[in-house]
Amino acid sequence: MAVLDELTALRAQTLNDIANAATTAELESVRIAVLGKSGSLTGYLRSMGSVAKEERAEVGKAVNAAREAIEGALDEALCTLKTKELDAAIDAAAVDITLPGRSQQIGTRHLINNIIDDLTEIFLGLGYTVGTGPEVETDYYNFTALNAPADHPSRSMQDTFYVKDLSGDVADVDGESDVLLRTQTSGVQVHFMEDQELPIYMIAPGKVYRRDVADPSHLPQFHQIEGLVVDEGITFGDLKGTLEYICKAIFGADRKTRFRAHYFPFTEPSAEVDVSCGICHGEGCRMCKGTGWLEILGCGMVDPNVLEMSGIDPERYSGFAFGMGVERIACLKYNVPDLRMLLEGDMRFLRQF
């Protein structure tokens, strides 16, 4: 009978293919080719209706016997191949326990955080308190309350990022429609003058944002530490003595300082503070551009208008304020030529500190 001969040949060929399968994927291909929906043996089962009645029983018996033999061989081969593949995977992932172990490096605080911590400790030692405030601030606290109204030219020097809500409209905070990422931590000082009892001796460290293009001396996001003192009888001499002490505490007792007249809208008189170059010791070099001095911060006596807007009587109280960039302090202290190096995450550079 031709059909029986075909079944015998198919059974023999399939068993041979199963025996020769080297992987579970090859074995699955054999199974699909024979027992799948379009498989060769499945085709015989579907065509049983066309077999003559007198031959149907014998053919059906032969088909079932072939299927049972093939399924049994498939199960046995699958078990064997899975075991081999698991053993191979274990061998490939084996760890040589005789190799020396790799020690895990202990992380350290970033240089910027270390500088903030060092400066904070210095000011705490002088009796100052540490204040914090929101990074998303209103126009009033960032500019207006600091003697810089909407038409003031100093605003162009501190162009910043304004905040919009999900609808695309400018965000609103406590009725103030102009909401922005703060350009300075001076807004924290205004909050302190409004909320805290006098006298005030405080610093405000934190992140600030400006629309600057990143280059060796500018970053669009950086850290500031600003300070404020408001008390009776505060003079420029107090400001000068405080900042001279701070500069020596940061850079060393041998460093000199100088004050240069400058302009800030919220202080009068105002000054910029320089420290003598640590590379050339004031003789002049490339680091200080031949001047012998390095600019480190701005300062001044608090403008009476700023005190008055915060509800403080300028006839009775006076004060001084100052601000310094943490990244700049770090670069000047450790002679780093580019601010961007602090943020690139190069561990070869950061491990030096």
Side-chain angles (χ1 to χ4, degrees):
M1 189 183 299
V3 176
L4 295 177
D5 293 339
E6 291 174 4
L7 286 170
T8 300
L10 175 61
R11 175 177 174 174
Q13 181 61 47
T14 303
L15 294 176
N16 184 62
D17 292 340
I18 292 172
N20 292 329
T23 65
T24 55
E26 292 181 9
L27 192 66
E28 179 65 9
S29 298
V30 174
R31 187 194 69 78
I32 292 173
V34 178
L35 300 178
K37 290 183 179 180
S38 302
S40 53
L41 188 61
T42 305
Y44 284 102
L45 290 170
R46 289 179 176 175
S47 63
M48 288 297 292
S50 62
V51 178
K53 289 183 179 181
E54 61 274 13
E55 299 177 356
R56 192 174 298 169
E58 190 175 357
V59 172
K61 184 178 179 180
V63 170
N64 288 330
R67 183 177 62 181
E68 291 175 2
I70 292 171
E71 287 178 346
L74 284 170
D75 291 341
E76 184 178 348
L78 180 62
C79 182
T80 301
L81 290 174
K82 279 187 174 181
T83 301
K84 289 182 178 179
E85 290 179 357
L86 178 60
D87 291 341
I90 292 174
D91 290 340
V95 176
D96 186 352
I97 59 174
T98 64
L99 291 174
R102 296 180 181 178
S103 61
Q104 293 293 325
Q105 288 189 332
I106 299 175
T108 59
R109 289 178 66 77
H110 193 278
L111 176 59
I112 294 174
N113 297 96
N114 282 335
I115 294 293
I116 293 174
D117 291 344
D118 292 344
L119 288 168
T120 300
E121 286 298 320
I122 294 171
F123 281 106
L124 289 175
L126 293 175
Y128 284 59
T129 59
V130 179
T132 59
E135 294 180 19
V136 179
E137 188 58 277
T138 63
D139 181 276
Y140 175 79
Y141 285 102
N142 197 77
F143 291 121
T144 307
L146 295 167
N147 209 32
D151 59 349
H152 201 281
S154 68
R155 289 197 178 206
S156 63
M157 297 185 293
Q158 296 189 19
D159 197 7
T160 185
F161 303 92
Y162 284 81
V163 180
K164 293 185 178 182
D165 59 26
L166 295 178
S167 66
D169 297 327
V170 176
D172 182 286
V173 175
D174 296 332
E176 176 67 60
S177 60
D178 290 332
V179 181
L180 47 83
L181 297 181
R182 65 184 182 186
T183 63
Q184 53 200 357
T185 59
S186 303
V188 181
Q189 300 174 355
V190 179
H191 286 292
F192 246 72
M193 287 189 287
E194 291 180 346
D195 302 334
Q196 302 296 320
E197 295 183 0
L198 296 172
I200 294 173
Y201 292 80
M202 61 84 68
I203 58 170
K207 286 200 242 2
V208 298
Y209 307 84
R210 297 183 186 177
R211 290 181 59 190
D212 290 334
V213 177
D215 62 30
S217 58
H218 297 86
L219 293 171
Q221 173 189 305
F222 57 99
H223 295 75
Q224 269 190 340
I225 291 183
E226 298 206 17
L228 173 70
V229 170
V230 180
D231 202 347
E232 296 183 27
I234 298 297
T235 68
F236 199 93
D238 298 311
L239 167 62
K240 186 176 180 181
T242 299
L243 294 183
E244 283 186 346
Y245 173 82
I246 296 300
C247 289
K248 292 181 182 297
I250 297 171
F251 298 105
D254 60 329
R255 305 291 282 274
K256 299 178 181 179
T257 57
R258 73 173 183 181
F259 290 70
R260 293 179 290 107
H262 195 67
Y263 168 77
F264 298 108
F266 39 84
T267 54
E268 181 61 38
S270 303
E272 285 192 339
V273 181
D274 300 334
V275 65
S276 57
C277 180
I279 302 297
C280 64
H281 304 289
E283 298 297 324
C285 65
R286 291 180 61 186
M287 183 70 177
C288 61
K289 298 180 180 178
T291 65
W293 298 93
L294 298 168
E295 177 190 335
I296 58 169
L297 59 88
C299 64
M301 300 300 293
V302 179
D303 192 294
N305 289 335
V306 175
L307 295 175
E308 210 161 17
M309 281 189 286
S310 296
I312 298 174
D313 182 4
E315 296 295 328
R316 179 181 177 184
Y317 292 96
S318 59
F320 63 78
F322 54 87
M324 62 187 79
V326 175
E327 285 82 354
R328 181 166 181 79
I329 296 293
C331 288
L332 292 178
K333 183 173 183 178
Y334 295 105
N335 302 321
V336 177
D338 192 327
L339 292 176
R340 294 171 294 185
M341 296 174 69
L342 299 173
L343 305 178
E344 290 174 345
D346 189 334
M347 296 305 298
R348 297 169 299 177
F349 168 75
L350 295 175
R351 286 195 185 104
Q352 299 177 67
F353 311 102

